[in-house]
Amino acid sequence: MEIVSGLGEKPHVTSQQFRQILEGTIGQKSYIVTSGENLEPELAANNLLKIRSGMMSHHGNVSSVKIGTYDEVELTNGSQGMKRIDLVVNRYTRNAETNIEKNEWVVIMGTPVASNPVAPTYTVGNLQKGDLVDDCPVFELHYDGINVTEVKKMLSVLPNVAELNSKWTDELTGNNQYCKYRYVKFGKTAVIIGNLAANNNNNISIKFPFAFKFTPSASVTLESSASSNVNPLITEISTTSFKADSTPGSTSKTAARFIIIGEIE
């Protein structure tokens, strides 16, 4: 064990450790962090993309376009009568000899076809595991003939704490008296938090206020104030509902808290 956020005998904090902190707070996936113009793309011409100011995080690695500026990315013209999808990736690289790290925009050109184009492959890495190259797709460029017909933003904008707090719903009651919850949606992610009261009815069925794209993850924490004979658990979960089981106890006390996180359409 070594200290990270304190003074050591010599410089000791690494970029990997700093990214660990960010992964624990922002998340381990890829997001645009609320800042500046949120990396908004502007197609200046069929061969030039402007990317406005903002900041993003990928595997805990934060990179930015400075406030009040924009980056210019050169594009390759489309082909007459053909369709194509290009990727604009934020590429992380680390020099194996010097360990110098950097980020830069890279355009990966797709294959022109008459119909049904697909996005090209990119380098899937994980810089936190020591990979020298780690691409994060940020934009898709859709070509029809020589023209770019769509610039598709591929990352969600992560709200800041103030925005997140303002987005929580008021407390709602489930389809029975034993469950109360609140939820928040940001980008393609939804979080539901709530309480399960101790009760004498097993297999409480609770319907979500919306459907998840995939089965969400869930965890339950037993309240210390709950009776020792109360053991509420989520016994079944799907994209639209979950079932909870609680052994007999006092209905006047909160038996457990739960959190459900998952991707939505």
Side-chain angles (χ1 to χ4, degrees), residues 102-227:
K102 69 175 182 178
N103 281 92
E104 60 186 337
W105 298 112
V106 174
V107 179
I108 302 175
M109 194 169 74
T111 301
V113 292
S115 62
N116 300 320
V118 296
T121 58
Y122 58 92
T123 302
V124 179
N126 190 331
L127 55 96
Q128 284 295 77
K129 295 182 179 180
D131 290 340
L132 299 179
V133 180
D134 189 354
D135 285 348
C136 176
V138 183
F139 306 105
E140 270 188 1
L141 305 172
H142 290 241
Y143 288 82
D144 189 348
I146 63 172
N147 296 318
V148 177
T149 57
E150 181 184 8
V151 180
K152 183 179 179 181
K153 209 170 184 177
M154 302 182 68
L155 302 182
S156 298
V157 178
L158 197 67
N160 57 38
V161 174
E163 289 177 312
L164 198 58
N165 286 337
S166 70
K167 291 178 182 291
W168 283 101
T169 62
D170 294 332
E171 188 173 69
L172 304 171
T173 301
N175 54 343
N176 59 71
Q177 61 179 315
Y178 302 112
C179 174
K180 295 185 182 297
Y181 66 90
R182 302 168 70 199
Y183 68 85
V184 65
K185 298 178 181 179
F186 52 95
K188 296 182 179 180
T189 302
V191 180
I192 302 174
I193 60 172
N195 302 321
L196 286 174
N199 68 92
N200 295 307
N201 181 18
N202 292 340
N203 294 323
I204 306 166
S205 179
I206 298 152
K207 186 176 181 180
F208 298 141
F210 46 81
F212 287 93
K213 186 175 182 179
F214 308 104
T215 301
S217 60
S219 63
V220 179
T221 304
L222 188 67
E223 289 289 291
S224 58
S225 61
S227 302

Side-chain angles (χ1 to χ4, degrees), residues 196 203-208 215-216 218 220 233-245 260:
L196 286 174
N203 294 323
I204 306 166
S205 179
I206 298 152
K207 186 176 181 180
F208 298 141
T215 301
V220 179
L233 296 172
I234 293 179
T235 57
E236 183 179 321
I237 188 167
S238 70
T239 58
T240 57
S241 65
F242 73 88
K243 290 183 179 180
D245 176 40
I260 297 169

